Amino acid sequence: MAEAFDALIVGGGAAGLMCALTAGRRGRRVLVVEHANRVGKKILMSGGGRCNFTNLGAGPDNYLSANPHYCKSALARYTPWDFVAMVERHRIAYHEKELGQLFCDESSKLIVRMLLEECAAAGVRIEVGCGVERVRHGPGGFHLDTARGVFSAPALVVATGGLSIPSMGATGFGYDIARQFGLNVLPTRAGLVPLTLSGKHAERFHDLSGVAFPVEARCNGQAFRNRMLITHRGVSGPAILQISSYWQPGDDLRLDLLPAVDAFDWLRRQQAARPAAELKTVLADALPRRFAQRLCEVWLPNRPMRQFREAELRGIAAQLADWPLVASGTEGYRTAEVTLGGVDTDELSSSTMMARRVPGLFFIGEVVDVTGWLGGYNFQWAWASGHAAGEAL
Ligand SMILES: Cc1cc2nc3c(=O)[nH]c(=O)nc-3n(C[C@H](O)[C@H](O)[C@H](O)COP(=O)(O)OP(=O)(O)OC[C@H]3O[C@@H](n4cnc5c(N)ncnc54)[C@H](O)[C@@H]3O)c2cc1C
């Protein structure tokens, strides 16, 4: 005998819990089915344990999607301030780190606790450690066959997230459900992910692991100015993670190694001030010493500054401002923060997240082809899309 609800939500992550508490508050009988042993695991590990739970500047321009307009409606109807109001109601202390990024002062655990308290107050039932064996659709709506029996409802919300960090419970189940109902799923790939180097490119960097400095990373018309970190496998750091979402193997990726200055102007001033100093010594004032040295061993001529003619300085400046980084790939889903691609937004209503062709079937959060930048944008999409569906259930 199936247990009946108004809505079944598969996945107790950020989007699923927000959807559940929103629908529960509206008097809906809601069941969240989570296969991991606890809800909100990605929230717990996010932001280095402090959860970068939103970004005050979040807007449609901060998201990648085959349809850049799709996210507009949901983001406009549930803003970062709406989430901040809930955080403040629960007396969770937070701070702005940089660029509008809001973090908990103490721990991500407080965000999960807040969502669970809101769900409890709204009468939401949550089953953890409960795998879904099969989804059926027929008379009486949607039926979930699970290890704990059959659950039925006229509405099914898929909030199973993306493929990143499989060890945390990520699965492709949401995409499978979409395909089961004949919905298009766009190809997926890892986003916000470290890039790898190989061959001579890796050899030139391998002993510089741990070196970090600000760059502007540019690819396919996008540019991010932030820190880059050289790792033992390639490059990471916020600037690289951000640009990784816009990069695919073979794409031209360029770094401005001196993003804060006009490189030619700066070199000329250095030449006038320190004519006897070698280029590598001068560069070490603006870049980590070991990296400056490597630049001059491999790519740039190292001579006393006075020996460079203006045209040569212009050439060096051009290289520093537009330095090609030849990446071979990414570290993949194992370390990626997000999954690009997913359920095609053409299949879904942008105001309710419901599948146009399958009444009662909703997709929210990262499983949908909407992916945010680094900096709290992905949670804001999870909250906003979860809220939009929760209002429609
Ligand atoms: C290390 C890391 C740090 C991050 N830090 C930030 C940050 O600070 N700020 C930010 O905005 N974003 C951050 N992100 C991204 C953010 O965590 C995700 O975009 C967000 O969690 C997506 O929400 P979601 O609800 O769609 O998916 P998830 O939060 O991933 O939730 C999906 C849930 O579905 C469950 N599930 C999967 N398959 C099944 C199944 N078959 N049956 C039942 N349940 C299932 C999963 O166990 C999981 O609980 C980070 C991601 C990672 C990996």
Side-chain angles (χ1 to χ4, degrees), residues 10-16 33-36 38-43 45-48 51-54 103 130-132 159-162 164-165 168-171 173 336-338 364-367 373 375-380 382:
V10 185
V33 177
E34 166 61 56
H35 74 157
R38 62 192 301 181
V39 295
K41 280 194 173 181
K42 278 200 187 154
I43 301 175
M45 74 189 298
S46 67
C51 187
N52 178 195
F53 55 81
T54 193
F103 284 76
C130 183
V132 179
T160 47
S164 48
I165 325 269
M168 283 288 126
T171 67
F173 191 63
E337 278 201 15
V338 288
I364 57 173
E366 202 180 313
V367 73
W373 290 359
Y377 302 99
N378 284 294
F379 279 136
Q380 188 55 35

Side-chain angles (χ1 to χ4, degrees), residues 76-121:
R77 283 179 297 132
Y78 192 85
T79 69
W81 293 110
D82 291 317
F83 194 78
V84 167
M86 180 153 63
V87 167
E88 290 184 349
R89 216 169 52 242
H90 285 256
R91 301 183 189 286
I92 298 173
Y94 66 91
H95 60 279
E96 180 177 344
K97 198 167 161 195
E98 53 167 359
L99 308 167
Q101 302 167 6
L102 300 190
F103 284 76
C104 296
D105 286 358
E106 286 176 35
S107 165
S108 319
K109 286 182 193 157
L110 299 176
I111 298 293
V112 175
R113 192 165 81 192
M114 172 185 81
L115 295 169
L116 285 175
E117 283 174 9
E118 291 281 335
C119 281

